[in-house]
Each structure stands twice: as structure tokens, then as C-alpha cells.
Amino acid sequence: MLLFPSTRTTQRIVTSAWPFLILGALHALLLVAALATLFPAELGLSGRSFRSALAGSWGFLAIWSHLLTLDLFAGVWIFRDARYWAVRPAPYLLATLVAGPIGLGLYLYVRKQREIRDPIRDLN
């Protein structure tokens, strides 16, 4: 989205559900691997069980995959929405990759300014 925003490949990827299905499956596998590190007596739906499972290496990878997937989802939404509002998405994509909600918040602020200046467009 940053390097080749107008190529056909990029357009196909950002309109496909496959990247999110693959990342979701990866996250599920990492979460199962993290839970598998617990002793049977520690298994359960308590906060202590999840904290113990996510404290290890597999848990870290599960959390990291979760955050990257959500950042990618926000980035794809910004990329697609920015075309509608004629906003250059690159700075907001970078900010979302690095700082997640801050990048999304910055984009939403700029988008709101465009809405105020162009009230004829409907929310999409």
C-alpha cells in the first residue's frame, strides 16, 4: 500500500479477505500454542490462566500477531477510504503501522476536516 499503491496486485490484496483469514488462522495457532504451555491444573477461563499463557514466548507472538492484524485492518480501511476522500494515505499508514490508534486517529481527524469542507459526500 505504501510502495505500490496503484498496482493491480495491491488493489486485489486490499479488497480480499484472504490476508485476514490467513492472519486469523495464524493467530489462533499461536494462541493454542501459548495455551498448550500451561499445566492442566492452570487451564481455565480465568484471568490468571490467560496471563500465564500470554507471558511466554508463544503468548508474545500471539499478542503480536493480534496487534499486527488489527493494524493491517485499520491500514486497509484507511487506504480504501482515503481514495474516496482524495487524501494521500501514506503518512497515516506509516503512523498506523508504528503507533496503531494514533495513526488511525490522525486519519479520522483529517477525514473529518474533509467532510466539513465537502458536505455533499455521504459517509461510506
Side-chain angles (χ1 to χ4, degrees):
M1 290 184 291
L2 287 169
L3 299 176
F4 308 106
S6 54
T7 65
R8 180 178 291 212
T9 302
T10 302
Q11 298 303 318
R12 284 188 15 218
I13 290 171
V14 300
T15 57
S16 174
W18 283 107
F20 298 104
L21 294 173
I22 292 167
L23 289 170
L26 175 66
H27 175 66
L29 287 172
L30 291 170
L31 195 57
V32 167
L35 290 172
T37 63
L38 296 178
F39 293 111
E42 294 177 300
L43 285 175
L45 295 177
S46 69
R48 177 176 281 161
S49 295
F50 283 112
R51 184 176 45 221
S52 295
L54 298 177
S57 297
W58 290 110
F60 171 77
L61 289 173
I63 292 169
W64 192 51
S65 70
H66 180 94
L67 294 174
L68 285 178
T69 303
L70 289 177
D71 286 350
L72 179 62
F73 181 80
V76 166
W77 182 82
I78 289 169
F79 182 80
R80 293 174 69 180
D81 193 67
R83 296 184 100 198
Y84 178 79
W85 290 100
V87 174
R88 188 170 164 259
Y92 310 105
L93 292 174
L94 281 172
T96 301
L97 178 63
V98 173
I102 295 171
L104 179 60
L106 289 171
Y107 175 73
L108 290 173
Y109 175 77
V110 168
R111 182 182 190 262
K112 189 66 174 171
Q113 299 307 308
R114 291 283 171 119
E115 285 180 40
I116 291 168
R117 284 184 278 162
D118 192 3
I120 295 188
R121 292 183 194 232
D122 293 329
L123 289 176
N124 59 352

